[in-house]
Amino acid sequence: MTDLPDTKALELDRAGGWLTIWLNRPQARNALSAEMIEELIAVLEAVRDDRTVRGITFRGRGGVFCAGGDVKGFRAVFQDGGQ
């Protein structure tokens, strides 16, 4: 069984062969931030070859799955990267 990475913007629940990934930014309607995307990539890379994980469910905290991309957050990333 693979160790899952530590995450801040995601909550990870593993039960048996199932992994539930909770988007956990309800104050932003779970909009995808750069941090959240990096964490998602890290989690998926960690379980990519782990045959004990038989399925993955994505859910959102706070009654909203995902409002899309965090435009304000991405703007800051692109401005910092472009200078």
Side-chain angles (χ1 to χ4, degrees):
M1 184 182 307
T2 303
D3 289 331
L4 297 173
D6 291 328
T7 58
K8 294 180 183 177
L10 304 174
E11 288 183 16
L12 308 174
D13 293 327
R14 183 185 273 184
W18 208 264
L19 174 63
T20 301
I21 300 174
W22 289 90
L23 307 181
N24 191 31
R25 294 183 63 226
Q27 73 283 2
R29 300 178 54 85
N30 295 317
L32 294 174
S33 65
E35 176 187 29
M36 188 181 285
I37 291 169
E38 289 174 10
E39 289 180 0
L40 279 169
I41 291 169
V43 170
L44 295 175
E45 285 178 347
V47 300
R48 174 179 42 211
D49 297 322
D50 185 345
R51 298 296 174 224
T52 65
V53 176
R54 306 291 294 166
I56 299 173
T57 300
F58 292 92
R59 300 192 65 185
R61 292 283 187 212
V64 176
F65 173 63
C66 180
D70 183 352
V71 178
K72 291 178 185 176
F74 288 136
R75 183 178 312 140
V77 168
F78 288 122
Q79 287 174 346
D80 292 343
Q83 293 180 344

